[in-house]
Amino acid sequence: MLQELSWKVGGQQGEGIDSTGKTFATSLNRMGYYIYSYRHFSSRIKGGHTNDKVRVSTTQKHSSADYLDILVAFDQETIDLNAYELRKGGVVIGDAKFNPVLPENTAGDVLLFAIPFTKIAEQNGAAIMKNMVALGATAFVMGLSPDFCTPVLQSLFGRKSQKIVEQNQAAVLAGYEAMKAQNVSFPDFALAPPTPSDHLLMIGNDAVAFGAIAAGVRVMPAYPITPASDVMEYLIKKLPKVGGVVVQTEDEIAALNMTIGASYAGARTLTATSGPGFSLMMEALGLAGMTEQPVVIVDTQRGGPSTGLPTKHEQSDMYQAMFGTHGEIQKIVLTPATAEECFYAAVNAFNYAEIYQCPVIIMTDLALSLASQSVEKFSLDQVKIDRGLLATQEQLAQIGPGQLFKRFERTENGVSPRVFPGQKGGIHHVTGVEHNEIGRPDEGTANHVQMMKKRLNKFEGSELPNSTSYEGDQHPDVLLIGVGSSIGPISEATVRLRKHGVRVGHAHVHVISPFPVASLQSYMDRAKQVIVFESNATGQLYHLMQFFGLKHSEFSSQLKFDGTPFLPKEIEAHVKGSMIAWQR
């Protein structure tokens, strides 16, 4: 029996591909299997090829599979574009309506079945249910019961009408019977039973939003943009239930300025955007740094520049997150790698923002933001809220007559007490102009130097907890380094290479500001060769490492920037072809 299986459904945007994949993935996740589901979709509202590739496994995976076992096609284009992924002996199930054929270069022994999805759906109530027919046909191939998705159908349609639930069930059963009528058995596609588990299934954007609520967020000003909009949509549904509010602003400039204002008023608040929107926020980002106002910004990276590839994967905002805005301010940039990490990164982000009184950016990428992943239930015991240094009423009462509260007091660590509007004795001035300790404008040379040092020295030279992770051999021949969602394919490649006798280490970067110089250099010092894998065209992480002084005699970069994430086999192949230092 298989320990994992790779399944894909494809068709034209607007044909229900997303809902088909979600129903399939959610159903198997509820059965106890682990899911990694990655959507390829067009930036058009309707039309254009789209597909959803679902990896079903008895163990946790954080990457798409290298291959495909079953391809479900609602049009010939889906077969033409995706059949190359099918492994030997794979299965294609196409709608008989378009007379499906296999391309000439399809792998040997691939079986094609033309099942009348649309016709069967129409016979059961409506053509739109052809996706349910396809799920029924899939169930037969995988040896699943035809009612494997009934609980999910009940969740999706039960509130509308029981009749709709029953119609969809009938369509699934009809698809199952139509596949059964082909008189072909598929013993090689049966999955091993899952280990009982009640893990969740969610995308990274939802996990960030969930973590934000757990951290006490109550205000979110934002402007919709792909692929960040899900953060906003999640909070639109959930924040009102805890007394919070989401405000759709006229643009991203207003979104961050409103976020700064809400933070000043005392609320925990965030905004979310993607590359172009993040660019618009740069002036306000400087204001947050100058006024030492805690704010959290979620930047979900996508293909760029400009509108670029808004629905495709890339990791090309690292320079923007590190160095974006005018002048010089300190920022913290977190780079979670899994949906589970997104939850805890959100919690940490709000604590860091208030402890260090600076902007914190949670930088994800499209694959992490939108891929559905099985995650273990979050531990709310790990959620600790730290609002940083706040002035007490007793301290404010000690301010002498005629004196004002020193909101920007020069302290040893650069962090000065905050107050909230209306707090007795806490009156002070706030401006983007250079200012003195009580906030009054002061452009004097000495004052500027002192205040710059105060703002920049908050975490100079330090390394935040868990800025990096490491797995593999302690003294590797090859050290692989990555950031963000590439943790899945790099980790799988590491395991495979070690099975082939190669000594491999995998270091992953979870924080890029402050840059984890010491921990990364320690990993590199133990390796004979270092390769950085990242999804951009210029090697941003590789060059950041050099910018911060990291050195190695055999140090190289492997890039991918075609809009798709790395696959484990690509990393494995590159490492095998690059192992030079340790072979000498």
Side-chain angles (χ1 to χ4, degrees), residues 524 530 532 542 545-546 550-557:
M524 294 169 70
V530 179
V532 180
Y542 173 71
M545 293 173 69
Q546 293 175 315
L550 293 164
K551 295 178 180 176
H552 195 282
S553 58
E554 297 289 348
F555 190 20
S556 63
S557 168

Side-chain angles (χ1 to χ4, degrees), residues 95-358:
D95 191 345
K97 183 179 179 180
F98 66 87
N99 299 318
V101 294
L102 291 174
E104 291 183 358
N105 59 352
T106 307
D109 296 336
V110 168
L111 299 175
L112 170 65
F113 298 91
I115 304 295
F117 294 157
T118 303
K119 183 178 179 181
I120 293 173
E122 289 172 342
Q123 291 170 346
N124 282 273
I128 196 172
M129 293 191 300
K130 65 182 181 183
N131 55 351
M132 295 297 116
V133 179
L135 289 180
T138 297
F140 181 81
V141 174
M142 292 177 61
L144 300 171
S145 165
D147 61 1
F148 82 104
C149 59
T150 295
V152 175
L153 297 179
Q154 192 68 45
S155 301
L156 289 173
F157 305 120
R159 292 180 183 175
K160 294 181 180 178
S161 139
Q162 191 57 33
K163 181 181 177 182
I164 296 177
V165 175
E166 292 170 358
Q167 284 181 320
N168 280 274
Q169 285 180 283
V172 173
L173 180 60
Y176 183 92
E177 294 296 338
M179 197 69 216
K180 185 178 179 181
Q182 302 296 312
N183 293 318
V184 180
S185 61
F186 303 92
D188 293 340
F189 290 90
L191 275 167
T195 303
S197 173
D198 57 354
H199 47 253
L200 309 173
L201 180 66
M202 62 172 57
I203 60 174
N205 278 341
D206 287 352
V208 166
F210 188 17
I213 292 178
V217 162
R218 293 297 179 267
V219 181
M220 184 203 193
Y223 186 78
I225 184 171
T226 301
S229 296
D230 296 274
V231 178
M232 186 179 184
E233 291 171 11
Y234 185 96
L235 291 175
I236 286 173
K237 296 175 187 173
K238 305 295 183 183
L239 266 188
K241 296 180 180 178
V242 294
V245 62
V246 173
V247 181
Q248 180 173 330
T249 56
E250 66 268 34
D251 56 33
E252 289 86 349
I253 301 171
L256 184 51
N257 279 319
M258 196 176 288
T259 303
I260 294 170
S263 172
Y264 179 75
R268 280 201 156 184
T269 173
L270 87 162
T271 188
T273 188
S274 189
F278 192 35
S279 298
L280 289 176
M281 293 179 176
M282 288 301 148
E283 182 179 358
L285 190 61
L287 177 64
M290 187 60 152
T291 58
E292 301 181 58
Q293 202 58 52
V295 291
V296 173
I297 304 164
V298 180
D299 173 30
T300 57
Q301 300 170 95
R302 67 186 201 181
S306 189
T307 307
L309 300 171
T311 61
K312 302 295 183 293
H313 173 77
E314 204 164 274
Q315 298 173 320
S316 51
D317 287 354
M318 280 183 268
Y319 290 163
Q320 181 172 223
M322 293 286 290
F323 306 117
T325 200
H326 48 288
E328 298 160 302
I329 64 170
Q330 284 285 33
K331 289 172 281 184
I332 291 174
V333 183
L334 309 179
T335 53
T338 65
E340 193 167 355
E341 272 188 48
C342 284
F343 174 86
Y344 296 107
V347 174
N348 291 334
F350 290 98
N351 288 340
Y352 289 147
E354 296 196 319
I355 291 171
Y356 295 105
Q357 298 177 14
C358 70

Side-chain angles (χ1 to χ4, degrees), residues 210-513:
F210 188 17
I213 292 178
V217 162
R218 293 297 179 267
V219 181
M220 184 203 193
Y223 186 78
I225 184 171
T226 301
S229 296
D230 296 274
V231 178
M232 186 179 184
E233 291 171 11
Y234 185 96
L235 291 175
I236 286 173
K237 296 175 187 173
K238 305 295 183 183
L239 266 188
K241 296 180 180 178
V242 294
V245 62
V246 173
V247 181
Q248 180 173 330
T249 56
E250 66 268 34
D251 56 33
E252 289 86 349
I253 301 171
L256 184 51
N257 279 319
M258 196 176 288
T259 303
I260 294 170
S263 172
Y264 179 75
R268 280 201 156 184
T269 173
L270 87 162
T271 188
T273 188
S274 189
F278 192 35
S279 298
L280 289 176
M281 293 179 176
M282 288 301 148
E283 182 179 358
L285 190 61
L287 177 64
M290 187 60 152
T291 58
E292 301 181 58
Q293 202 58 52
V295 291
V296 173
I297 304 164
V298 180
D299 173 30
T300 57
Q301 300 170 95
R302 67 186 201 181
S306 189
T307 307
L309 300 171
T311 61
K312 302 295 183 293
H313 173 77
E314 204 164 274
Q315 298 173 320
S316 51
D317 287 354
M318 280 183 268
Y319 290 163
Q320 181 172 223
M322 293 286 290
F323 306 117
T325 200
H326 48 288
E328 298 160 302
I329 64 170
Q330 284 285 33
K331 289 172 281 184
I332 291 174
V333 183
L334 309 179
T335 53
T338 65
E340 193 167 355
E341 272 188 48
C342 284
F343 174 86
Y344 296 107
V347 174
N348 291 334
F350 290 98
N351 288 340
Y352 289 147
E354 296 196 319
I355 291 171
Y356 295 105
Q357 298 177 14
C358 70
V360 176
I361 299 158
I362 304 172
M363 193 169 64
T364 61
D365 51 51
L366 187 138
L368 176 56
S369 302
L370 298 185
S372 295
Q373 304 178 29
S374 297
V375 299
E376 300 302 332
K377 285 190 172 180
F378 302 121
S379 171
L380 296 181
D381 292 339
Q382 295 185 39
V383 177
K384 308 293 182 188
I385 294 178
D386 187 341
R387 302 221 60 179
L389 189 58
L390 300 174
T392 65
Q393 206 56 56
E394 291 74 19
Q395 291 171 322
L396 294 173
Q398 295 174 10
I399 298 174
Q403 301 295 310
L404 294 177
F405 170 63
K406 293 183 177 178
R407 165 64 185 95
F408 305 102
E409 182 179 8
R410 293 192 294 273
T411 60
E412 188 173 340
N413 62 3
V415 178
S416 39
R418 285 192 302 148
V419 292
F420 298 132
Q423 197 166 347
K424 188 176 180 180
I427 190 169
H428 61 282
H429 194 278
V430 180
T431 175
V433 177
E434 185 59 281
H435 44 265
N436 60 20
E437 291 181 302
I438 62 172
R440 187 165 293 165
D442 184 341
E443 299 180 26
T445 53
N447 179 69
H448 179 60
V449 171
Q450 291 170 340
M451 296 306 284
M452 282 297 293
K453 286 182 177 178
K454 163 185 161 45
R455 292 189 292 267
L456 295 178
N457 288 344
K458 292 179 180 177
F459 42 79
E460 187 68 31
S462 61
E463 194 167 304
L464 293 178
N466 304 313
S467 290
T468 60
S469 60
Y470 187 87
E471 63 173 348
D473 294 283
Q474 291 304 306
H475 296 278
D477 295 320
V478 184
L479 172 64
L480 316 182
I481 297 178
V483 66
S485 65
S486 65
I487 194 169
I490 295 178
S491 182
E492 280 197 55
T494 299
V495 172
R496 293 179 193 176
L497 288 162
R498 294 183 76 198
K499 286 181 178 176
H500 284 92
V502 182
R503 291 189 297 177
V504 186
H506 170 200
H508 216 74
V509 182
H510 304 270
V511 178
I512 61 169
S513 178

